[in-house]
Each structure stands twice: as structure tokens, then as C-alpha cells.
Amino acid sequence: MNASMPALSPPPGVESNFENPQSRSSLTVIPSAAIVGITIILVFTRMYTKVYILKSVGWDDYTCMFATLSSVVFLGFLMALYEFGFGVHQWDITYANLQSLMSKQHPDFVPVQEGKTLSALWGPTMFFTKLSLLLLYYRIFAPDRLTKHFVVIGILYCSVLYTSYLLLTFLLCQSTLQPFCMHEWNLFILISSGLNVFGDIYLLTIPLAAIAKLQMAFRQKLGVSAVFFTGIMACLSGVLALYYRIRLLRTPDMTWHFTPFLIFTVLEINTGIIVSCMPTMPALIQDIRSQVS
């Protein structure tokens, strides 16, 4: 096949534009970088609070830092993808450029290597994000034995899910990408994404259920619960990422429609990290107030 040919036949009446194609690059990279930037700031304030104000650093803090580092690496790879042609219509990419995005190719030119590489980064990032939250719950709700059991179950669930995800990412479809293999890969992605969303919901319910059992006024419970309500955004982001992942399976113009999936994936990861930083904010605010007064 001629390497200068478009990677996908354009629609009727549309001509390929290899020189200056319409791109969604800025629509993805700028919001994603902003989200990661906010996350880094909040993680920094969390660690400052834990080290210098509370003088108590735990495993949830270390895993939070690992999750943040993984999120930054994920963002770096995302930005690299857009340097190679993601964010433009697939008919505005030459076959040669698209081939550089993948080690193997489907006859319909659906890139696969990007999915495997993103999975390799996404799995550990999501694992450390959720592990940080679970360890935080374990420390905060230590007196509640039932909540501790739910936390342990969550840790086991995440360990099995994301370890299996990472291993299968490299094991599936190694020899060829025949239609059956593509179907196997897509099914694996959808099931894993669905299980990930279930994990998001599970993590949201643990603190809310524990707070509901506390002996305090309803208004106080609502105030404490508000710290964890940011997790709703993580759940919604996971659901929307799954939705756009399904849409990706139904379009040949994958490089263009990959943008919303990536945005909500980045949002889900970083919202989870932000949620884990929220419980330290009252101590920081109180310290600032005491210094000002």
C-alpha cells in the first residue's frame, strides 16, 4: 500500500488534508494538563499539611504520590499521541504516520498499540489512586470493623482487577489481529471498564455508609460527607469514559473520536486523587487562619 495514501477513505465530498488538518489536540491536551496541574497542587498541599502541620505521613500518602506520578506519565504519553496524529480525522493522516502509532494493524486501520500502551499506564495509575483512597478510609474509619472489612475487600478487588488488566493487556492478541482477536480485545476492554466503574461506585459508598452510622447531627454528617462528594465526579467520569469507549468501537474514525474518551479518563484518574486530598484541607485552612490571626 502507498504510504502517502490516507489511513481512512474520506467521506464523499471531503478531501484529505495532510498539511494543516483540523485537530482536537488543544481540546484534549489543555484541559488534561490543567486537571493534572490542579491535582499536583492539591497533592503538594496535602503532603505539606501531613508533614509540617499534622506531622503524620501514612501509606495512603505514599500511594497518592505514586498515583500522581503515574498520572503525570499518563499525561505525557497522551501529549505524545497527539504529536503523532491523534485528534485529527483519520483520513487526514497518511498510512505511514498511522503505522507509526501501532505495532500491528487491523485491515480497517483501527490502531491497537495505543490501547495497549494506555492500558499499561492506566492500570497502575488507577490502582494507586484507588488504593490511596482505600488506605485513607482504613485509617479514618479504623474503629468501625465493618467498614474496615469493606476496605479490605476493596483492596483485594482492585489488586485482582488491575493486575489482571495489566497482564492481559500484554497477553491478548500477540500473534495476529484477525477479526476474532479484535472482538476478544474489545470485549476485554468493555468488561474491564465496566468493572472499573463498579469499583468507583463501591469506593464512593464506603465513606458515605460509614458516616451515616456516626452519632452526630444530620447537618454535621452532611458536612463530613461533603468532603467525599467529589467522588461523584470520578464516578460520572468513569461512566462517560466507558460510554465513549463503546462509541469508539462503532466508528472507523478512531483518531478523531478518541478525544472525549481520553478527557474523561484523565478526569476520572485525577478526581480520585483530588478526593483523597480533601480530608487534609480543614487542617491546612485552620493553620492558615491561626497564622493570620
Side-chain angles (χ1 to χ4, degrees):
M1 178 175 290
N2 190 341
S4 63
M5 291 182 62
L8 182 71
S9 298
V14 177
E15 294 185 2
S16 296
N17 183 357
F18 299 142
E19 299 299 324
N20 187 29
Q22 182 182 4
S23 175
R24 284 179 162 183
S25 175
S26 58
L27 181 63
T28 306
V29 173
I30 293 176
S32 298
I35 295 167
V36 174
I38 292 171
T39 299
I40 292 173
I41 293 172
L42 289 175
V43 171
F44 176 81
T45 58
R46 167 184 176 157
M47 295 310 301
Y48 174 85
T49 303
K50 296 298 291 290
V51 173
Y52 295 103
I53 299 176
L54 300 176
K55 294 179 171 58
S56 174
V57 180
W59 283 106
D60 54 312
D61 301 303
Y62 296 126
T63 51
C64 179
M65 288 191 290
F66 274 118
T68 306
L69 178 61
S70 299
S71 177
V72 172
V73 174
F74 189 93
L75 174 65
F77 179 74
L78 180 153
M79 296 172 70
L81 282 181
Y82 280 85
E83 290 294 323
F84 281 100
F86 271 76
V88 305
H89 287 292
Q90 203 158 310
W91 54 79
D92 289 334
I93 308 175
T94 64
Y95 170 74
N97 285 342
L98 184 60
Q99 194 174 37
S100 68
L101 291 175
M102 52 187 177
S103 60
K104 303 171 184 177
Q105 63 271 358
H106 185 266
D108 291 329
F109 303 107
V110 180
V112 173
Q113 184 63 24
E114 50 79 26
K116 293 197 172 186
T117 309
L118 281 176
S119 294
L121 294 172
W122 179 86
T125 306
M126 194 60 69
F127 171 73
F128 282 115
T129 299
K130 292 183 178 178
L131 181 60
S132 176
L133 281 168
L134 288 164
L135 293 176
L136 174 68
Y137 298 161
Y138 193 90
R139 179 171 56 82
I140 292 178
F141 303 109
D144 189 338
R145 293 185 60 185
L146 183 59
T147 300
K148 289 175 68 175
H149 290 322
F150 284 139
V151 169
V152 171
I153 292 172
I155 292 174
L156 292 174
Y157 178 85
C158 291
S159 299
V160 172
L161 174 61
Y162 297 113
T163 301
S164 302
Y165 192 95
L166 185 62
L167 291 175
L168 289 173
T169 294
F170 293 105
L171 293 176
L172 282 178
C173 302
Q174 289 299 306
S175 58
T176 182
L177 287 180
Q178 298 301 321
F180 172 78
C181 191
M182 286 298 298
H183 173 75
E184 186 181 58
W185 171 258
N186 291 335
L187 182 62
F188 159 68
I189 291 294
L190 291 179
I191 292 175
S192 300
S193 299
L195 292 173
N196 174 66
V197 171
F198 174 79
D200 288 339
I201 298 172
Y202 183 83
L203 261 69
L204 178 62
T205 59
I206 290 177
L208 298 183
I211 293 169
K213 295 187 295 182
L214 297 178
Q215 300 298 319
M216 60 174 61
F218 175 76
R219 181 173 294 181
Q220 289 178 303
K221 290 183 180 180
L222 192 61
V224 176
S225 299
V227 174
F228 300 100
F229 279 156
T230 317
I232 296 176
M233 181 63 70
C235 293
L236 291 176
S237 299
V239 171
L240 288 170
L242 175 59
Y243 168 74
Y244 283 108
R245 181 78 226 190
I246 294 172
R247 288 194 62 181
L248 275 175
L249 303 179
R250 300 179 178 178
T251 175
D253 190 11
M254 194 278 298
T255 53
W256 178 262
H257 292 286
F258 209 69
T259 290
F261 166 71
L262 280 178
I263 290 176
F264 285 113
T265 298
V266 171
L267 185 60
E268 179 189 10
I269 292 170
N270 289 275
T271 304
I273 299 173
I274 290 171
V275 171
S276 70
C277 295
M278 290 297 101
T280 61
M281 292 300 106
L284 177 63
I285 294 172
Q286 184 178 1
D287 182 72
I288 293 174
R289 285 177 176 175
S290 64
Q291 292 185 24
V292 171
S293 60

